[in-house]
């Protein structure tokens, strides 16, 4: 089945630690996105990538980093500089000329120990 | 710049009653508009979208929405609520006519359905 796989489903971070969230898609989509979701705040864009080896900051990129070495993969690293990382993280992808529809993974819930 | 306002963070209806979730947007260019649904601890699923053409769009699970340019609105409706409709709903906007659309989301509306 085609889709977007996020792992792990739950993740715990210790103080001062970097953690990486995985996002893999087999939909052959060019664009991929990372969002952060906090209760009552909707989804906020962290980073997005329209093509391999290229990515742009979204609205809340501070404390996060990404890479896009393969079309299928867009991992997100939450660095120790992100002081409030507890949130639900959602990865999405969209095809070229797809009417801007984004398809979402099931999410990763990150908590701080 | 684009923005989305969803009126009412919580809406409660009885089973069988009309569902109305409100969404107003602002956009400097013709917009594409979307409604997504999210069940607890899951990702978002597309309910319906408006790009061009007919302003009344039908989606999955009996939902529909009407694009009203003069009111900058895209309200979501369903004639008869079902218990399985209980979820959080997000309205989103992107720039129309682009190949890659960044979405701007509203803050979400939690729908509760009472028996």
């Amino acid at each position: 089945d085609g889709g977007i796989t996020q792992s792990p489903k739950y993740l715990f971070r210790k103080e001062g630690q970097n953690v990486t969230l995985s996002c893999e898609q087999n939909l052959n989509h060019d664009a991929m996105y990372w969002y952060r979701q906090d209760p009552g705040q909707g989804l906020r864009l962290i980073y997005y990538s329209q093509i391999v080896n290229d990515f742009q900051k979204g609205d809340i990129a501070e404390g996060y980093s990404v890479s896009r070495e393969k079309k299928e993969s867009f991992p997100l690293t939450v660095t120790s500089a992100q002081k409030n990382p507890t949130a639900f993280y959602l990865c999405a992808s969209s095809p070229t000329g797809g009417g801007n529809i984004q398809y979402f993974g099931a999410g990763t819930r990150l908590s701080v120990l | 710049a684009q923005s989305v306002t969803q009126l009412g963070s919580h809406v409660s209806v009885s089973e069988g009653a009309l569902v109305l979730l409100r969404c107003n947007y602002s956009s400097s260019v013709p917009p594409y508009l979307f409604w997504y649904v999210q069940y607890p601890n899951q990702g978002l699923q597309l309910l319906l979208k408006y790009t061009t053409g007919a302003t009344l769009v039908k989606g999955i699970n009996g939902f529909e929405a009407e694009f009203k340019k003069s009111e900058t609105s895209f309200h979501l409706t369903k004639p008869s609520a079902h218990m399985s409709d209980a979820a959080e709903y997000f309205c989103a906007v992107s720039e129309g006519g682009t190949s890659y659309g960044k979405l701007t989301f509203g803050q979400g509306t939690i729908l509760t359905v009472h028996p």
Side-chain angles (χ1 to χ4, degrees), chain B residues 8-53:
Chain B
S9 58
H10 290 81
V11 170
S12 181
V13 301
S14 298
E15 192 172 21
L18 171 71
V19 175
L20 171 60
L21 304 182
R22 299 178 187 273
C23 172
N24 288 88
Y25 70 91
S26 82
S27 178
S28 56
V29 298
Y32 288 175
L33 295 158
F34 307 84
W35 276 100
Y36 283 87
V37 61
Q38 184 182 34
Y39 298 98
N41 294 310
Q42 295 187 25
L44 275 66
Q45 179 184 5
L46 181 69
L47 274 179
L48 49 79
K49 69 182 188 298
Y50 168 80
T51 53
T52 58

Side-chain angles (χ1 to χ4, degrees), chain A residues 2 20 22 26 30 32 35 43 47 49 52 58-59 64 86 92 101:
Chain A
T20 297
S22 171
N26 61 4
D30 289 311
M32 298 187 73
Y35 293 92
L43 279 70
Y47 270 97
S49 168
V52 174
D59 301 319
Y64 300 96
T86 297
I101 297 172

